[in-house]
Amino acid sequence: QVQLVESGGGLVQAGGSLRLSCAASGSIFSINAMGWYRQAPGKQRELVAAITSGGSTNYADSVKGRFTISRDNAKNTVYLQMNSLKPEDTAVYYCNADLEVAPHSTPTGYWGQGTQVTVSS
């Protein structure tokens, strides 16, 4: 059983900052990429940022220069530092991890339960 537990969401004024965390636990052999997605009401879920096990990152154009993704491989945890938040960043943020539960097993994507981020104008 694998669990991804997110924390750090909340209500913040425009221009403010939040830091999201996501810890993976359970039967995990190795974690490949980890990422953050978001889904606003009436919109499709979209990739916000992702990071490989080696530390390579990519970001959605809308968050470049404002958000920073990082990870602690020893803790199986990924972070998302969000600065200069805008009302359009309001969404439920989901953590995703592509991981293997045993040696040579097929990598599978797991999702967290989501955490609400609300940015007021």
Side-chain angles (χ1 to χ4, degrees):
Q1 190 79 5
V2 174
Q3 282 190 318
L4 273 63
V5 179
E6 299 125 333
S7 61
L11 173 63
V12 64
Q13 288 188 330
S17 298
L18 284 173
R19 188 189 194 214
L20 305 183
S21 300
C22 172
S25 63
S27 178
I28 298 172
F29 174 70
S30 66
I31 302 178
N32 302 317
M34 301 185 80
W36 290 95
Y37 291 71
R38 67 186 180 187
Q39 187 166 19
K43 295 188 177 181
Q44 289 189 330
R45 190 174 297 189
E46 63 175 358
L47 175 67
V48 175
I51 184 168
T52 68
S53 57
S56 297
T57 60
N58 70 286
Y59 296 90
D61 287 343
S62 60
V63 307
K64 283 180 181 177
R66 300 188 298 122
F67 292 10
T68 302
I69 189 170
S70 61
R71 64 189 280 176
D72 184 333
N73 290 331
K75 296 181 179 180
N76 289 340
T77 299
V78 63
Y79 306 95
L80 186 68
Q81 178 66 44
M82 305 185 293
N83 298 329
S84 302
L85 282 160
K86 304 176 181 180
E88 51 263 44
D89 294 318
T90 296
V92 178
Y93 283 69
Y94 296 92
C95 171
N96 177 271
D98 181 62
L99 59 88
E100 300 168 30
V101 298
H104 311 299
S105 64
T106 301
T108 303
Y110 289 82
W111 292 94
Q113 80 285 355
T115 185
Q116 177 70 46
V117 171
T118 302
V119 185
S120 63
S121 57

